Amino acid sequence: MAEDEKQKWVKYYSSSHEILLVGEGDFSFSSCLALSFASAPNIVATSLDSYEDVIKSYHSAQSNLSILDKAGASHLHEVDATKMKSHSGLQARKFDRIIFNFPHAGFHGKEDDALLIVMHRSLLNGFFKNASGMLHPDGEIHVNHKTSNPYCNWKLEELAGQNSLRLIECVAFKKEDYPGYENKRGSSSRCDQSFPLGNCCTFKFSFSYDALVAQIRKRPQNPFEFRRPLSDGGTLIDETVMSVIFESYLIFGGYLKHVREALESPDHNSFFLNEALEFGYKKFVAKDPSRTRSDYTKFLDYRLYW
């Protein structure tokens, strides 16, 4: 049997994908995937709540987590979506699909309240910043989200664009496509209750060269300005840096892999430096002729420094 015939699919998700789920409530979505795949060592499901709070708050959580355990999936707790790439269980991990189902910053007033919308947008902005640096080259970020007013005012596409991502597709979300999934409020004393979905979609995002270049053009020329001092004397690296590193991999990764295979040694890569730089420049401007060699030089300066 061919390898692709062995794959099992649940809508957009394959048993061959490395999948990260963010902000799970009772872990019913991740357990749906795990049950369908049977073997799911490729799944990492995370929640903001502690393990104890998850078990206490959701009546089905224990059974859902047992399903994940039996399928070989991982589940992590107390994972903040806005800081997840630095979590000890996720550092240096890359994924084919990163899924955030109906993100919500908590119930702090009416949904159309301007301040609450700002809180929701801040949550998504932090999530996109982290998730954009955790993708495999062809990976996708999926956000399931309501599209009616006031939820449309979260402006997911705008936030994604600010974090080197582009919208590749927006399709209607149907709960019945995921047997066993139960959307949960996830906050307050009614956290285990469902909420009406209404009109909602799966927003699919991928890494964007154009969004990254737009960000780079707005940044200071001096790469040392990327570091901001912290109160403890350390420094904080700007989020754009991770995106630059990621794009450099997209540009040069395939070429250098070919060189290594041809010469059977990575030590000889330096002989191909000029060719690699020209190859990279052509790929850098392929989608947008307005990109200049100055843009490319600036991109390389950032990547070299970091």
Side-chain angles (χ1 to χ4, degrees):
M1 183 180 292
E3 185 65 28
D4 57 352
E5 293 177 338
K6 296 179 182 178
Q7 293 184 30
K8 297 179 180 179
W9 287 84
V10 177
K11 199 59 177 179
Y12 314 114
Y13 312 112
S14 163
S15 56
S16 67
H17 286 152
E18 294 291 326
I19 300 172
L20 172 65
L21 296 109
V22 178
E24 285 282 86
D26 67 351
F27 287 81
S28 58
F29 194 94
S30 51
S31 66
C32 161
L33 299 183
L35 271 176
S36 299
F37 297 160
S39 177
N42 56 312
I43 290 177
V44 180
T46 70
S47 70
L48 178 61
D49 295 326
S50 68
Y51 174 84
E52 292 75 17
D53 286 342
V54 168
I55 299 302
K56 181 174 63 177
S57 301
Y58 303 99
H59 74 280
S60 297
Q62 184 71 73
S63 60
N64 290 332
L65 291 173
S66 295
I67 290 171
L68 293 176
D69 290 336
K70 290 176 182 178
S74 302
H75 51 89
L76 302 174
H77 305 273
E78 298 181 85
V79 177
D80 186 336
T82 66
K83 303 174 183 178
M84 61 185 182
K85 69 181 180 183
S86 61
H87 188 278
S88 59
L90 296 172
Q91 286 179 333
R93 291 290 301 271
K94 300 292 182 181
F95 297 92
D96 300 300
R97 299 290 184 270
I98 300 177
I99 307 166
F100 200 166
N101 290 317
F102 302 100
H104 200 275
F107 297 94
H108 305 284
K110 294 183 178 181
E111 291 292 353
D112 60 356
D113 183 85
L115 180 58
L116 186 54
I117 291 175
V118 169
M119 293 174 65
H120 292 319
R121 282 174 52 82
S122 178
L123 168 63
L124 265 299
N125 185 56
F127 164 70
F128 284 136
K129 281 183 178 180
N130 279 255
S132 62
M134 300 173 70
L135 287 174
H136 283 307
D138 296 323
E140 297 177 8
I141 295 169
H142 292 185
V143 178
N144 291 313
H145 180 59
K146 293 185 177 186
T147 54
S148 57
N149 189 62
Y151 305 98
C152 57
N153 294 322
W154 297 19
K155 300 180 180 179
L156 266 63
E157 188 172 357
E158 174 188 284
L159 293 173
Q162 293 171 5
N163 291 284
S164 305
L165 299 167
R166 68 182 180 91
L167 181 68
I168 55 176
E169 189 177 24
C170 181
V171 294
F173 174 85
K174 298 180 180 179
K175 183 178 174 181
E176 56 267 27
D177 289 333
Y178 306 97
Y181 170 56
E182 294 295 336
N183 56 296
K184 300 294 184 179
R185 291 172 62 87
S187 181
S188 77
S189 60
R190 296 189 292 161
C191 62
D192 199 24
Q193 296 181 11
S194 295
F195 56 87
L197 291 176
N199 296 324
C200 51
C201 287
T202 299
F203 292 78
K204 302 180 184 180
F205 301 96
S206 67
F207 184 82
S208 168
Y209 289 98
D210 295 332
L212 175 62
V213 171
Q215 284 182 292
I216 291 175
R217 286 174 173 170
K218 294 178 182 178
R219 297 294 179 173
Q221 292 287 342
N222 182 358
F224 284 90
E225 294 182 44
F226 271 100
R227 290 180 177 261
R228 302 195 297 276
L230 299 176
S231 58
D232 63 1
T235 56
L236 179 66
I237 297 175
D238 192 285
E239 297 290 347
T240 303
V241 171
M242 294 307 298
S243 294
V244 172
I245 292 173
F246 182 68
E247 186 179 16
S248 70
Y249 172 78
L250 292 178
I251 290 176
F252 295 108
Y255 178 86
L256 296 179
K257 180 176 182 293
H258 171 72
V259 171
R260 286 195 298 271
E261 290 175 349
L263 299 178
E264 297 182 344
S265 171
D267 298 333
H268 294 85
N269 284 349
S270 58
F271 292 115
F272 294 82
L273 178 59
N274 291 336
E275 296 171 62
L277 291 172
E278 189 61 27
F279 171 89
Y281 172 70
K282 291 178 180 178
K283 196 165 184 178
F284 185 76
V285 300
K287 290 187 177 181
D288 184 359
S290 70
R291 297 177 182 178
T292 66
R293 285 193 178 272
S294 176
D295 293 329
Y296 184 53
T297 300
K298 190 175 181 182
F299 171 84
L300 293 176
D301 284 342
Y302 283 68
R303 181 62 186 97
L304 179 63
Y305 175 70
W306 294 105

